[in-house]
Amino acid sequence: MSDSQALDAIHNWQQWFRENRVVAELDDPGESKDSREKMHDTSKAISSLNEAVTAQAFEKAKEYFADTMAEFWNELTGPQLYKAFYAAAMEQLQYQEKELKKAQSIVDMLHYKG
């Protein structure tokens, strides 16, 4: 590209920019201010991320439950599958309660309450 072609390209771009630019004015900020504010608005970013993670976890849990049901479909009835699910949930609850007691004892010890 010759120097004159480069200068013509720059000139053409500058002319296009002057005709098509959107500038924030003091009295009427217009589009550019709104777009800048939206670009920096992260208030919905975390909630969107949390929603995506929750949706992904939901789909994964649904898939695991479907696999479990399919694996035992011929061996257990519906009520038996329900009882197995309930028993597993209760075991998980008891385990979590034990873990909570351990954590609480450590916190108490750190606060010299134990």
Side-chain angles (χ1 to χ4, degrees), residues 50-60:
N50 288 340
E51 289 171 9
V53 169
T54 299
Q56 184 179 13
F58 178 84
E59 289 301 316
K60 194 173 187 179

Side-chain angles (χ1 to χ4, degrees), residues 62 64-82 84:
K62 188 172 75 171
Y64 287 177
F65 290 142
D67 288 347
T68 300
M69 287 172 46
E71 186 173 346
F72 297 103
W73 196 254
N74 293 322
E75 290 85 13
L76 299 174
T77 64
Q80 289 171 326
L81 277 170
Y82 172 81

